[in-house]
Amino acid sequence: MALNIGYAIFGAILTMVCMLIGYKIFDRITPFDTSQALAEKNIAVGIVVGSVFIGLGIAVGLVIGMGLN
């Protein structure tokens, strides 16, 4: 049971790192400053960034989950 908890914590940390890298890549490929647009409360950018996080989280989570079984 402790090993499964360790795998879950490792998977969560790895997923967060991949999401951070994905956000940085997304910020570089967009022609505007994503952080500034979010600070200005741009709802459209917030929806897109949230969608990127959800997509990356699902994809990386599934890969990690399949790798642990």
Side-chain angles (χ1 to χ4, degrees):
M1 184 168 151
L3 189 59
N4 285 339
I5 292 172
Y7 284 149
I9 292 171
F10 174 72
I13 292 170
L14 188 60
T15 301
M16 296 298 271
V17 169
C18 289
M19 289 174 73
L20 178 67
I21 292 169
Y23 175 75
K24 294 293 183 183
I25 292 171
F26 177 76
D27 192 26
R28 286 192 180 260
I29 64 173
T30 54
F32 53 88
D33 186 15
T34 307
S35 298
Q36 181 182 8
L38 289 172
E40 294 172 355
K41 301 190 187 298
N42 189 333
I43 295 173
V45 174
I47 291 171
V48 171
V49 169
S51 301
V52 168
F53 281 152
I54 290 171
L56 283 170
I58 290 171
V60 173
L62 286 173
V63 168
I64 292 170
M66 292 298 213
L68 295 178
N69 289 331

